[in-house]
Amino acid sequence: MMTHAAYDCDVLVIGGGIVGLSTAYALTRAAPGTRVTVLEKEPGPARHQTGRNSGVIHSGIYYRPGSLKARYALRGSAELADFCAEHSIAHSTTGKLIVATERSELPRLHALVQRGREHGLPVRELGPAQIAEHEPEVRGLAAIRVGTTGVCDFTAVPHRFATEVPAAGSIVRYGAEVTAIDRRPWGVAVRTADGLVVRARVLVNCAGLHCDRVARLAGDDPGVRIVPFRGEYYALARPELVRGLVYPVPDPAFPFLGVHLTRGFDGSVHVGPNAVPALAREGYTWPQVRPAELLSTLSWPGTWQIARRHWRYGAGEMHRSLSRSAFTRAVQRLLPAVTEDDLRPSPAGVRAQAVLKDGTLVDDFLIREAPHTVHVLNAPSPAATACLPIGREVARLALRRARGTGWKPPAVESGHCV
């Protein structure tokens, strides 16, 4: 058994997005004095999923009662608003409309009303005239208003975590891409691209778009493959057309919420996302292609099962990706006044969607344990909303694993990791 001094840190977190940094933040608070190191391959925090999302604090209405997404989003939305207030991070509880534009959507809208009430959410049903009271330019047959939805500066949240973690005596290291993981009876040793070796009692994998690859580096079969989907957005040149947040009724067969309208904390309005396959894990435009990553996606049997089952839906998304006029027509279902000239290209995001071998899209958050290791294998939206409870749960699992090595939380200790 290695001595305490032989370890460079107690818990090593791979990934400096909102989930990884929330986990590190939770570790320093659950067991003060725990030595934590965060390794992030980019030059700063939250450069991918976190820094490119729509900025919405989700209410939890969409998620199956009892699921991790429902439990953590319901809890996390309130906690995140409090965190933003405490640290002067821009945020606002705006509420949102979910609007049915076709009669076939009305049963699904009613089902959302029932689900919202099961969750204890403030849900109000609206007719066409009431929709216009909230959103004069939006048209629909019926809608519901969910009062607890909001927006915030999601880039500022992980930046705050990245300030709090070093203040507690731990380290966040940027430009540290993990290239090798060696798991031993005493713990793990991780090597980065620049040759740094970090030895830890426990490894936490929060690598987002690369989490399945990191799991395989650790010697574990994740059982899923990350299939990246690019979410394409436009900014609305006439933001005065939209007062708040407006969503279509989602199709439960897909993990995406459909093209929606989002007034951000800064007053800008974004329209999207359109969801299309990305040709790289970080493929934010069509020309961004990484052959090895594309081959990894195409060689996974689940990818072809998705294509076979949902080719019609995918074809529509591809058409809207390649045709601004087609995208405009999709937006006009909710916002008839919008024109093609109103839509200005905006930075895209990529969703790290875990897919099973049979083509099933993993619907819930997925956290798995292995010797000396905790893997977060599916944490797309609403993970940003739920980051605080997710971080606490992952921290709890990591501390339990650390205790299995004979480690005890220090009463008061100010040690620094590598």
Side-chain angles (χ1 to χ4, degrees):
M1 182 69 68
M2 288 178 62
T3 65
H4 176 77
Y7 290 101
D8 298 307
C9 61
D10 301 314
V11 181
L12 174 62
V13 178
I14 299 177
I18 201 167
V19 172
L21 288 167
S22 176
T23 297
Y25 175 78
L27 284 163
T28 63
R29 275 143 184 80
T34 303
R35 301 177 303 160
V36 182
T37 292
V38 179
L39 299 180
E40 166 56 45
K41 70 182 180 67
E42 301 295 350
R47 297 298 177 92
H48 294 291
Q49 290 188 104
T50 306
R52 290 172 170 266
N53 69 24
S54 61
V56 175
I57 303 175
H58 290 284
S59 66
I61 192 171
Y62 298 115
Y63 313 118
R64 176 176 50 82
S67 66
L68 291 179
K69 281 188 175 182
R71 288 161 46 201
Y72 291 170
L74 289 164
R75 190 182 313 156
S77 58
E79 291 183 9
L80 186 60
D82 289 343
F83 182 88
C84 289
E86 179 183 353
H87 296 287
S88 301
I89 295 171
H91 72 289
S92 177
T93 302
T94 59
K96 77 173 176 184
L97 300 187
I98 303 174
V99 181
T101 58
E102 298 178 3
R103 295 194 65 83
S104 62
E105 296 172 337
L106 294 177
R108 299 205 306 268
L109 186 68
H110 182 69
L112 282 177
V113 173
Q114 298 303 113
R115 178 164 288 185
R117 289 172 178 162
E118 286 183 61
H119 289 323
L121 295 171
V123 179
R124 181 183 169 211
E125 298 180 73
L126 307 177
Q130 294 164 309
I131 293 172
E133 291 175 8
H134 290 280
E135 292 285 352
E137 298 296 336
V138 170
R139 298 292 180 268
L141 299 178
I144 59 176
R145 186 175 189 277
V146 187
T148 52
T149 305
V151 293
C152 82
D153 183 353
F154 271 118
T155 300
V157 174
H159 274 82
R160 186 67 203 188
F161 291 149
T163 298
E164 296 287 322
V165 169
S170 292
I171 289 292
V172 179
R173 184 181 291 275
Y174 301 112
E177 182 175 3
V178 171
T179 57
I181 300 172
D182 185 13
R183 188 159 51 197
R184 300 290 183 89
W186 47 262
V188 293
V190 169
R191 182 183 298 275
T192 66
D194 62 1
L196 175 72
V197 175
V198 183
R199 294 159 297 179
R201 296 177 185 273
V202 176
L203 171 69
V204 175
N205 169 15
C206 295
L209 286 159
H210 302 276
C211 64
D212 57 336
R213 181 180 64 83
V214 169
R216 290 193 294 274
L217 282 178
D220 296 320
D221 177 5
V224 298
R225 184 69 51 87
I226 294 298
V227 175
F229 287 90
R230 183 169 63 253
E232 299 169 331
Y233 290 89
Y234 288 90
L236 197 59
R238 291 189 289 161
E240 64 273 12
L241 292 176
V242 179
R243 290 180 175 178
L245 309 180
V246 184
Y247 282 64
V249 179
D251 186 333
F254 304 101
F256 313 109
L257 297 178
V259 173
H260 48 270
L261 314 169
T262 305
R263 176 174 283 274
F265 65 91
D266 60 356
S268 64
V269 174
H270 282 82
V271 184
N274 193 58
V276 295
L279 305 183
R281 297 283 177 112
E282 296 160 15
Y284 297 111
T285 63
W286 281 115
Q288 288 181 287
V289 181
R290 291 186 178 176
E293 293 178 0
L294 180 57
L295 179 61
S296 173
T297 297
L298 295 177
S299 65
W300 185 244
T303 301
W304 297 101
Q305 293 295 331
I306 293 171
R308 182 179 63 82
R309 294 173 192 164
H310 304 308
W311 66 269
R312 194 182 302 277
Y313 179 91
E317 296 289 300
M318 291 281 287
H319 181 48
R320 287 187 289 274
S321 174
L322 299 172
S323 168
R324 187 181 300 192
S325 61
F327 188 95
T328 303
R329 288 193 296 273
V331 179
Q332 286 171 337
R333 292 180 56 201
L334 286 171
L335 191 67
V338 77
T339 68
E340 191 171 335
D341 290 339
D342 289 325
L343 301 179
R344 309 288 170 80
S346 188
V350 175
R351 177 190 180 103
Q353 177 62 53
V355 178
L356 298 177
K357 190 170 286 188
D358 66 1
T360 301
L361 303 174
V362 177
D363 183 54
D364 208 355
F365 298 141
L366 179 61
I367 302 170
R368 287 183 174 163
E369 296 181 81
H372 305 300
T373 311
V374 180
H375 298 292
V376 180
L377 295 172
N378 195 58
S381 180
T385 296
C387 64
L388 288 165
I390 292 175
R392 284 198 303 273
E393 174 62 11
V394 177
R396 182 186 70 81
L397 297 175
L399 290 171
R400 185 174 70 184
R401 290 276 163 186
R403 291 185 182 95
T405 69
W407 171 83
K408 294 181 180 179
V412 176
E413 179 178 323
S414 58
H416 283 71
C417 301
V418 169

